Coordinates of all heavy atoms in Angstrom, one line a residue:
M211 N 46.7 63.1 15.4 CA 46.2 63.5 14.1 C 45.3 62.5 13.5 O 45.6 61.3 13.4 CB 47.3 63.7 13.1 CG 47.0 64.1 11.7 SD 46.7 65.9 11.7 CE 46.3 66.1 9.9
D212 N 44.0 62.9 13.3 CA 43.0 62.0 12.7 C 43.3 61.6 11.3 O 43.8 62.3 10.5 CB 41.6 62.7 12.7 CG 41.1 62.9 14.2 OD1 41.5 62.1 15.1 OD2 40.3 63.7 14.4
T213 N 43.0 60.4 11.0 CA 43.2 59.8 9.6 C 42.0 59.9 8.9 O 40.9 59.5 9.3 CB 43.7 58.4 9.7 OG1 44.8 58.3 10.5 CG2 43.9 57.8 8.3
P214 N 42.0 60.7 7.7 CA 40.8 60.8 7.0 C 40.3 59.5 6.4 O 41.0 58.7 5.8 CB 41.1 61.8 5.9 CG 42.6 62.0 5.9 CD 43.1 61.4 7.2
N215 N 39.0 59.1 6.5 CA 38.4 58.0 5.7 C 37.9 58.5 4.4 O 37.0 59.2 4.3 CB 37.2 57.4 6.6 CG 36.6 56.3 5.9 OD1 36.8 56.1 4.7 ND2 35.9 55.5 6.6
R216 N 38.6 58.1 3.4 CA 38.4 58.7 2.0 C 37.1 58.2 1.4 O 36.6 58.7 0.4 CB 39.5 58.3 1.1 CG 40.9 58.7 1.5 CD 41.1 60.2 1.3 NE 42.5 60.6 1.7 CZ 42.8 61.9 1.9 NH1 42.0 62.8 1.7 NH2 44.0 62.2 2.4
S217 N 36.4 57.3 2.2 CA 35.1 56.9 1.7 C 34.0 57.7 2.3 O 32.8 57.5 1.9 CB 34.8 55.4 2.1 OG 35.8 54.6 1.5
I218 N 34.3 58.5 3.3 CA 33.3 59.4 3.9 C 33.6 60.9 3.8 O 34.4 61.4 4.7 CB 33.0 58.9 5.4 CG1 32.9 57.4 5.6 CG2 31.9 59.7 6.1 CD1 32.8 57.0 7.0
K219 N 33.2 61.5 2.9 CA 33.3 63.0 2.8 C 32.5 63.7 3.8 O 31.3 63.3 3.9 CB 33.1 63.5 1.4 CG 34.2 63.2 0.4 CD 34.0 63.9 -0.9 CE 34.1 65.5 -0.8 NZ 35.6 65.9 -0.6
C220 N 32.9 64.7 4.4 CA 32.0 65.5 5.3 C 32.5 66.9 5.5 O 33.7 67.2 5.5 CB 32.0 64.8 6.7 SG 31.0 65.6 7.9
T221 N 31.7 67.9 5.6 CA 32.0 69.3 5.7 C 31.6 69.8 7.1 O 31.6 71.0 7.3 CB 31.3 70.1 4.6 OG1 29.9 69.9 4.7 CG2 31.8 69.7 3.2
V222 N 31.2 69.0 8.0 CA 30.7 69.4 9.3 C 31.9 69.6 10.2 O 32.3 68.7 11.0 CB 29.7 68.4 9.9 CG1 29.1 68.9 11.2 CG2 28.5 68.2 8.9
E223 N 32.5 70.8 10.2 CA 33.7 71.0 11.0 C 33.4 71.2 12.5 O 34.4 71.2 13.3 CB 34.3 72.3 10.5 CG 34.9 72.1 9.0 CD 35.7 73.3 8.6 OE1 35.9 74.2 9.3 OE2 36.2 73.2 7.4
S224 N 32.1 71.3 12.9 CA 31.8 71.4 14.4 C 31.8 70.1 15.0 O 31.5 69.9 16.2 CB 30.5 72.2 14.6 OG 29.5 71.5 13.9
C225 N 32.0 69.0 14.2 CA 32.0 67.6 14.8 C 33.3 67.2 15.2 O 34.3 67.4 14.5 CB 31.4 66.6 13.7 SG 31.4 64.9 14.3
R226 N 33.4 66.5 16.3 CA 34.7 66.0 16.9 C 35.3 65.0 15.9 O 36.6 64.9 16.0 CB 34.4 65.4 18.3 CG 35.7 65.1 19.0 CD 35.4 64.4 20.3 NE 34.6 65.2 21.2 CZ 33.9 64.7 22.3 NH1 34.0 63.4 22.6 NH2 33.3 65.5 23.0
N227 N 34.6 64.3 15.1 CA 35.1 63.3 14.3 C 35.6 63.8 12.9 O 36.1 63.1 12.1 CB 34.0 62.2 14.0 CG 33.6 61.5 15.3 OD1 34.5 61.2 16.1 ND2 32.3 61.3 15.5
H228 N 35.4 65.1 12.7 CA 35.8 65.6 11.4 C 37.3 65.8 11.3 O 38.0 66.2 12.4 CB 35.2 67.0 11.2 CG 35.4 67.7 9.8 ND1 36.4 68.5 9.6 CD2 34.7 67.5 8.7 CE1 36.3 68.9 8.3 NE2 35.3 68.2 7.8
C229 N 38.0 65.6 10.2 CA 39.4 65.8 10.0 C 39.5 67.3 9.6 O 39.2 67.6 8.5 CB 40.0 64.9 8.9 SG 40.1 63.2 9.4
M230 N 40.0 68.1 10.5 CA 40.0 69.5 10.2 C 40.8 69.9 9.0 O 40.5 70.9 8.3 CB 40.4 70.3 11.5 CG 39.5 70.2 12.6 SD 37.8 70.6 12.2 CE 37.9 72.4 11.9
S231 N 41.9 69.3 8.8 CA 42.8 69.6 7.6 C 42.1 69.3 6.3 O 42.4 69.9 5.2 CB 44.0 68.9 7.8 OG 43.8 67.5 7.9
E232 N 41.2 68.3 6.3 CA 40.6 67.9 5.0 C 39.0 67.6 5.3 O 38.8 67.3 6.5 CB 41.2 66.6 4.5 CG 42.7 66.8 4.2 CD 43.3 65.5 3.7 OE1 43.0 65.2 2.6 OE2 44.0 64.8 4.5
D233 N 38.3 67.7 4.3 CA 36.7 67.5 4.4 C 36.4 66.0 4.3 O 35.7 65.6 3.5 CB 36.0 68.3 3.4 CG 35.8 69.8 3.8 OD1 36.0 70.1 5.0 OD2 35.5 70.6 3.0
Y234 N 36.9 65.3 5.4 CA 36.6 63.8 5.5 C 36.3 63.5 7.0 O 36.7 64.3 7.9 CB 37.7 62.9 5.1 CG 37.9 63.0 3.5 CD1 38.9 63.8 3.0 CD2 37.1 62.2 2.7 CE1 39.1 63.9 1.7 CE2 37.3 62.2 1.4 CZ 38.3 63.0 0.8 OH 38.5 63.1 -0.5
C235 N 35.5 62.4 7.2 CA 35.2 61.9 8.5 C 36.5 61.1 8.9 O 37.1 60.4 8.0 CB 34.0 61.2 8.6 SG 33.5 60.5 10.1
S236 N 36.7 60.9 10.2 CA 37.9 60.1 10.6 C 37.4 58.7 11.2 O 38.3 57.9 11.4 CB 38.7 60.8 11.8 OG 37.8 61.1 12.9
L237 N 36.1 58.6 11.2 CA 35.6 57.2 11.7 C 35.7 56.2 10.6 O 35.8 56.5 9.4 CB 34.2 57.4 12.1 CG 33.8 58.4 13.3 CD1 32.3 58.4 13.5 CD2 34.6 58.0 14.5
S238 N 35.8 54.9 11.0 CA 35.8 53.9 10.0 C 34.5 53.6 9.3 O 34.3 53.1 8.2 CB 36.3 52.5 10.7 OG 35.5 52.2 11.7
S239 N 33.4 53.9 10.1 CA 32.0 53.9 9.5 C 31.2 54.9 10.3 O 31.5 55.3 11.4 CB 31.5 52.4 9.7 OG 31.3 52.2 11.0
I240 N 30.0 55.2 9.7 CA 29.0 56.1 10.4 C 27.7 55.6 10.3 O 27.5 54.7 9.4 CB 29.1 57.6 9.8 CG1 28.7 57.6 8.3 CG2 30.4 58.2 10.0 CD1 28.4 59.0 7.7
T241 N 26.8 56.1 11.0 CA 25.3 55.7 10.9 C 24.6 57.0 10.4 O 24.8 58.0 11.0 CB 24.8 55.3 12.2 OG1 25.5 54.2 12.7 CG2 23.3 54.9 12.1
V242 N 23.8 56.8 9.4 CA 22.9 57.9 8.9 C 21.5 57.6 9.2 O 21.1 56.4 9.0 CB 23.1 58.1 7.4 CG1 22.2 59.2 6.9 CG2 24.5 58.5 7.1
G243 N 20.8 58.5 9.7 CA 19.4 58.3 10.1 C 18.6 59.5 9.7 O 19.0 60.4 8.9
T244 N 17.3 59.6 10.2 CA 16.4 60.7 9.9 C 15.7 61.1 11.1 O 15.4 60.2 12.0 CB 15.5 60.3 8.7 OG1 14.7 61.4 8.4 CG2 14.5 59.1 9.1
H245 N 15.3 62.3 11.2 CA 14.4 62.9 12.2 C 13.0 63.0 11.7 O 12.1 63.5 12.4 CB 14.9 64.2 12.7 CG 15.1 65.2 11.6 ND1 16.3 65.3 10.8 CD2 14.3 66.1 11.1 CE1 16.1 66.2 10.0 NE2 14.9 66.7 10.1
E246 N 12.6 62.5 10.5 CA 11.4 62.6 9.9 C 10.6 61.3 9.9 O 11.3 60.2 9.8 CB 11.5 63.2 8.5 CG 12.2 64.5 8.3 CD 11.3 65.7 8.7 OE1 10.1 65.5 8.9 OE2 11.9 66.8 8.8
C247 N 9.3 61.3 9.9 CA 8.6 60.1 9.7 C 8.6 59.6 8.3 O 8.6 58.4 8.0 CB 7.1 60.3 10.0 SG 6.8 60.9 11.7
N248 N 8.7 60.6 7.3 CA 8.6 60.2 5.9 C 9.7 61.1 5.2 O 9.2 62.1 4.6 CB 7.3 60.4 5.4 CG 7.1 60.1 3.9 OD1 7.9 59.3 3.4 ND2 6.2 60.7 3.2
P249 N 11.0 60.8 5.2 CA 11.9 61.8 4.6 C 11.8 61.9 3.2 O 11.5 60.9 2.4 CB 13.3 61.1 5.0 CG 12.9 59.7 5.4 CD 11.5 59.7 5.9
T250 N 11.8 63.2 2.7 CA 11.6 63.4 1.3 C 12.7 64.2 0.6 O 12.7 64.4 -0.6 CB 10.3 64.3 1.1 OG1 10.5 65.4 1.9 CG2 9.1 63.5 1.5
Q251 N 13.7 64.7 1.4 CA 14.8 65.4 0.8 C 16.0 65.3 1.7 O 15.9 64.8 2.9 CB 14.5 66.9 0.6 CG 14.0 67.6 1.9 CD 13.4 69.0 1.6 OE1 14.0 69.7 0.9 NE2 12.3 69.4 2.3
E252 N 17.2 65.7 1.2 CA 18.4 65.4 1.9 C 18.4 66.1 3.3 O 19.1 65.6 4.2 CB 19.6 66.0 1.1 CG 19.8 67.4 1.0 CD 21.1 67.8 0.3 OE1 21.0 67.9 -1.0 OE2 22.1 68.1 0.9
A253 N 17.8 67.3 3.4 CA 17.7 67.9 4.7 C 17.0 67.1 5.8 O 17.1 67.4 7.0 CB 17.1 69.3 4.6
C254 N 16.3 66.1 5.4 CA 15.6 65.2 6.4 C 16.6 64.2 6.9 O 16.1 63.5 7.9 CB 14.4 64.5 5.6 SG 13.2 65.6 4.9
T255 N 17.7 64.1 6.5 CA 18.7 63.0 6.9 C 19.7 63.6 7.8 O 20.0 64.8 7.7 CB 19.3 62.2 5.8 OG1 20.2 63.2 5.1 CG2 18.3 61.7 4.9
D256 N 20.3 62.8 8.7 CA 21.2 63.3 9.7 C 22.3 62.2 9.9 O 22.1 61.1 9.8 CB 20.6 63.4 11.1 CG 19.3 64.2 11.0 OD1 19.4 65.4 10.9 OD2 18.2 63.6 11.1
C257 N 23.6 62.7 10.2 CA 24.6 61.8 10.7 C 24.4 61.6 12.1 O 24.5 62.5 13.0 CB 26.0 62.4 10.4 SG 27.3 61.4 11.0
M258 N 24.1 60.4 12.4 CA 23.8 59.9 13.9 C 25.2 59.8 14.6 O 25.2 59.6 15.8 CB 23.0 58.7 13.9 CG 21.8 58.7 13.0 SD 20.6 60.0 13.4 CE 19.8 59.3 14.7
S259 N 26.3 59.8 13.9 CA 27.6 59.7 14.6 C 28.2 61.0 14.9 O 29.3 61.0 15.5 CB 28.5 58.9 13.6 OG 28.0 57.7 13.3
F260 N 27.5 62.0 14.6 CA 27.9 63.4 15.0 C 28.2 63.5 16.5 O 27.4 63.1 17.3 CB 26.9 64.5 14.6 CG 27.2 65.8 15.1 CD1 27.9 66.7 14.4 CD2 26.6 66.3 16.4 CE1 28.2 68.0 14.9 CE2 26.8 67.6 16.8 CZ 27.6 68.4 16.0
V261 N 29.3 64.2 16.9 CA 29.6 64.4 18.3 C 30.0 65.8 18.3 O 31.0 66.3 17.7 CB 30.8 63.5 18.8 CG1 31.1 63.9 20.3 CG2 30.4 62.1 18.7
K262 N 29.4 66.6 19.1 CA 29.7 68.1 19.2 C 31.1 68.2 19.9 O 31.5 67.5 20.8 CB 28.7 68.7 20.2 CG 28.8 70.3 20.2 CD 27.8 70.9 21.0 CE 27.8 72.4 21.0 NZ 29.1 73.1 21.1
K263 N 31.9 69.2 19.3 CA 33.2 69.4 19.8 C 33.2 70.0 21.2 O 32.3 70.8 21.5 CB 33.9 70.5 18.9 CG 34.7 69.8 17.8 CD 35.5 70.9 17.2 CE 36.2 70.2 15.9 NZ 36.7 71.3 15.1
Ligands
SF4_363 S1 30.6 61.7 12.4 FE1 29.2 62.4 10.8 S2 29.2 64.7 11.0 FE2 30.9 63.9 12.2 S3 32.7 64.1 10.8 FE3 31.9 62.1 10.6 S4 30.3 62.1 8.9 FE4 30.7 64.3 9.6

């Protein structure tokens, strides 16, 4: 059973690191990055710690 990290809320249930019972990440830390040269809105940012189930 994954332990939720209460400091990292997340709703991406298709990620292997997601705590399915609750909307939290189970990692101790994550890396956030961007796929844009000049990010201007939240959709420009990505969780680089995502792992497909
Ligand atoms: S690694 Fe990123 S996408 Fe995956 S559960 Fe954690 S915060 Fe969410």
